[in-house]
Amino acid sequence: MKIIFVNGCFDVLHPGHIKLFQYAKSLGDYLIVAIDSDLKITGDKGLNRPIFPLEDRKFILESIKYIDVVHTFDSKEGLEDLIESIKPDILVVGSDWFHGEVVGREYAKEVKFFDRVGEYSTSRTIQGFSYR
């Protein structure tokens, strides 16, 4: 079985997220998605985030047909420990991390980068940006 791993906040879902999940699932048999805890998102993105609490985000993600299981993490170290314990075949990350630190990369057999879809962005959606 080929295990694929993706992580992120996934606070306000948009078509770019679904394309990411679709792509990641196409690479293997079992897609694991890990999401940041509410406390981690608030620390990373500010007091107005997340928009949706962890339980809601987890429920929504578990309802997406491409995703097999959803895990949560509270810190960079927690994410690294999770990836180390799973040892995925492929770790899929956004291409904006191509020259950045990819947490857990040493525990995956391969890292693949996914390009942003159009102008979709959770932050832009929250700011009221129209994609029309």
Side-chain angles (χ1 to χ4, degrees):
M1 179 183 328
K2 197 171 203 177
I3 298 172
I4 314 303
F5 189 97
V6 174
N7 69 275
C9 299
F10 305 116
D11 191 6
V12 176
L13 291 183
H14 53 67
H17 291 130
I18 303 304
K19 294 274 190 187
L20 166 65
F21 302 141
Q22 184 179 37
Y23 167 75
K25 182 66 175 201
S26 77
L27 299 173
D29 305 301
Y30 196 78
L31 177 57
I32 298 170
V33 175
I35 56 175
D36 301 60
S37 69
D38 293 346
L39 188 61
K40 183 172 184 316
I41 293 173
T42 299
D44 292 346
K45 304 210 180 252
L47 295 175
N48 293 327
R49 299 280 301 273
I51 301 299
F52 290 103
L54 177 65
E55 300 79 28
D56 291 352
R57 291 182 289 120
K58 190 169 189 280
F59 173 77
I60 291 167
L61 290 171
E62 289 171 338
S63 301
I64 296 172
K65 70 179 182 178
Y66 305 110
I67 299 172
D68 294 294
V69 68
V70 178
H71 291 285
T72 62
F73 61 96
D74 293 312
S75 65
K76 177 180 164 185
E77 295 78 18
L79 174 60
E80 188 166 3
D81 290 346
L82 184 58
I83 296 170
E84 181 180 14
S85 71
I86 293 168
K87 293 180 180 47
D89 293 286
I90 301 174
L91 180 62
V92 178
V93 297
S95 59
D96 47 330
W97 290 98
F98 188 77
H99 295 291
E101 177 191 9
V102 177
V103 174
R105 100 177 297 146
E106 64 271 25
Y107 304 113
K109 293 178 185 164
E110 183 178 0
V111 175
K112 288 196 177 269
F113 294 92
F114 182 78
D115 289 331
R116 182 177 296 275
V117 174
E119 296 184 44
Y120 292 111
S121 156
T122 297
S123 296
R124 291 180 84 180
T125 300
I126 291 167
Q127 294 168 356
F129 180 82
S130 174
Y131 296 101
R132 293 181 210 162

